[in-house]
Amino acid sequence: MEGIEHKTVTVNGIKMHVAEIGQGPVVLFLHGFPECWFSWRHQLAFMASNGYRAVAPDLRGYSDSTGAPVNDFTKFTTLHVVGDVVALLNAVAAHEEKVFVVGHDWGAMIAWALCLYRPDRVKALVNLSVAFTPRNPTRKPVESLRAVYGDDYYVCRFQEPGEIEGEFAQIGTKRVLKNFLTYRNPCPLYLPKGKGLGDSADTPIILPSWLSEEEIDYYASKYEKSGFTGALNYYRALDINWELTAPWTGDQIKVPVKFIVGDLDLTYNAPGAKDFIHKGGFKKYVPLLKEVVVMEGVAHFIHQEKPDEINKHILDFFQEFPCLQ
């Protein structure tokens, strides 16, 4: 993409690929699954044109970031990844005490963790799709998910190293990415063993207007190179995160936050999610929550599906903090 600079920064024992553009206060963009820096393509140039320095890394284990021990999922906890992010900020934003942050999906979870562990580094946060989840001190997350959804729930199916990767290999990288990136069902995502992604391999997947074959090809080229294991390790480290974050049980997110979600997003339609978000639970744990935006007719990949609206939301929110820039 025109104007975007790509570089590799050595951080926290790994080599992190970073895409950046613009001059001004840093806005750090954290991607989710199954994505990479490229998922922020619509936001990077926009924020740069409005006087910001937009920085989008490939997270540990993803795409062109290398050096993480992908065969050891215990090295993919939120503490590891936030360590990467803080080291990146020290490298690329050394003169800024605090930066703006935008996260989506797993990137949103990492952004919440960054705000929990190092609120001193964050001016304000816009998080997409995944609300803050307070730690349940009595039950591990995978056990909880299995109890609610069963063994075929996608997070549960991702737990066994190598298993789902083998199934993805049979389906093909490009088709796997098409399935995930075009998913619009607000119901839970199930991946029964031996049934692929639930559709016939002969059935063509029609791409929406916001996603082109060329863009799918870009994602596929990265995942064919890196594989899916690094990305899946984030799910495999969920219970380790739970063990390591006991000291933060009951803690709050103490930075200004705007939260945006689509009403067709499976995360928004999870049991109890709407009540938590709208009836005081979310605000209890995120006391500086300024606004919750629910976009109608929009699914999980909200920043790619509705880039103009998301760009405006991000810019409008961050412009409320001119004294911090």
Side-chain angles (χ1 to χ4, degrees), residues 277-295:
I277 290 170
H278 297 294
K279 295 186 177 180
F282 196 13
K283 182 74 171 179
K284 174 184 175 182
Y285 288 98
V286 188
L288 298 181
L289 179 68
K290 304 300 184 182
E291 186 179 5
V292 172
V293 178
V294 180
M295 296 179 64

Side-chain angles (χ1 to χ4, degrees), residues 158-221:
F158 286 176
Q159 292 304 306
E160 182 62 33
E163 184 175 278
I164 200 71
E165 289 96 322
E167 295 184 28
F168 284 176
Q170 291 182 334
I171 297 166
T173 300
K174 190 171 180 178
R175 189 171 184 88
V176 168
L177 291 166
K178 280 186 175 182
N179 267 278
F180 279 113
L181 292 170
T182 61
Y183 189 82
R184 294 186 62 80
N185 188 340
C187 298
L189 174 58
Y190 294 101
L191 302 174
K193 286 186 181 181
K195 295 188 178 179
L197 295 174
D199 61 347
S200 170
D202 299 326
T203 305
I205 298 173
I206 307 301
L207 295 180
S209 60
W210 54 267
L211 186 63
S212 70
E213 284 287 345
E214 290 76 20
E215 288 167 330
I216 285 286
D217 286 341
Y218 184 87
Y219 282 120
S221 71

